[in-house]
Amino acid sequence: MGRRVVLGMLGLGAVGVVTGRRLADLESRVLAPIQSRDPTGLTSLLPAGAGFRFYSVTGTVPHRTATGYRLTVRGLVDRPATFTLDDLHRMPQTRLIRDFQCVTGWRVPRVHWAGVALPDLLDAVGVSPRAQAVRFTSFDGSYSESLTLAQGRRRDVLVATTMLDRPVTRDHGGPVRLYVAPMYGYKSLKWLAGIELTSSVQAGYWEHRGYDTDAWVGRSNGQQDAPIT
Ligand SMILES: Nc1nc2c(c(=O)[nH]1)N[C@H]1C(S)=C(S)[C@@H](COP(=O)(O)O)O[C@H]1N2
Ligand SMILES: [Mo]
């Protein structure tokens, strides 16, 4: 994992690009108590992370090798399936160059991403007409996220296998993470293990702690301005 420099998220917010009063309030209300409970692993600077900060709500994450990795897709689908990393590599690949923006204010510009566009994966399993939402689970054992089905059909939502032009590293959620380009970083679930088609959106980890479920960059979580450019 490398040497971690624990950074106060409130401090980051103060130097960040966007901290409106509401956002700052949210951070102190939501994040400070969590930080004091677990000051060791919540956020740290990745030495080789190109400006990314390392986030994990669990601290430790089980390792998944490239060959041992499995992604299960189930729920309201016609053909439940399990994908290996090779399976994902054999599917049509989508590339994106887009910013990564955490709700606390830090941003990494023009990150290179590649992987399987979520709509292509959904087409591969066949979505039932009863499905309204897509839920994601992590092999860290506790993080989860959800999108509406319409959001999940966007071509700028990736089941990402590369990030920064190389396989997604373990710190960044490898071997496979989600990348939801138009939304704040907390939607981009790391260490992706499961995708489930559901009948309604279920609040994810940070949404249970006060953050918006629709996390559009620049117009959620108290932000009303145009997206930050
Ligand atoms: N499983 C999991 N995914 C996660 C998180 C996490 O703690 N656990 N943190 C989220 C948040 S708040 C951000 S900003 C990004 C950070 O991505 P990075 O660790 O690659 O910088 O991951 C998101 N995905
Ligand atoms: Mo974040």
Side-chain angles (χ1 to χ4, degrees), residues 4-7 40-46 52-55:
R4 291 186 185 174
V5 182
V6 177
L7 299 169
T40 53
L42 185 64
T43 171
S44 50
L45 199 56
L46 282 186
F52 277 85
R53 299 192 172 106
F54 173 74
Y55 277 60

Side-chain angles (χ1 to χ4, degrees), residues 52-53 55-57 106 138 140 143 172 177 185 188 190-191:
F52 277 85
R53 299 192 172 106
Y55 277 60
S56 171
V57 298
W106 59 273
S138 169
D140 71 7
Y143 207 86
H172 285 304
R177 78 177 294 170
S188 292
K190 305 198 290 183
W191 308 291

Side-chain angles (χ1 to χ4, degrees), residues 128 162 172 215:
S128 148
T162 81
H172 285 304

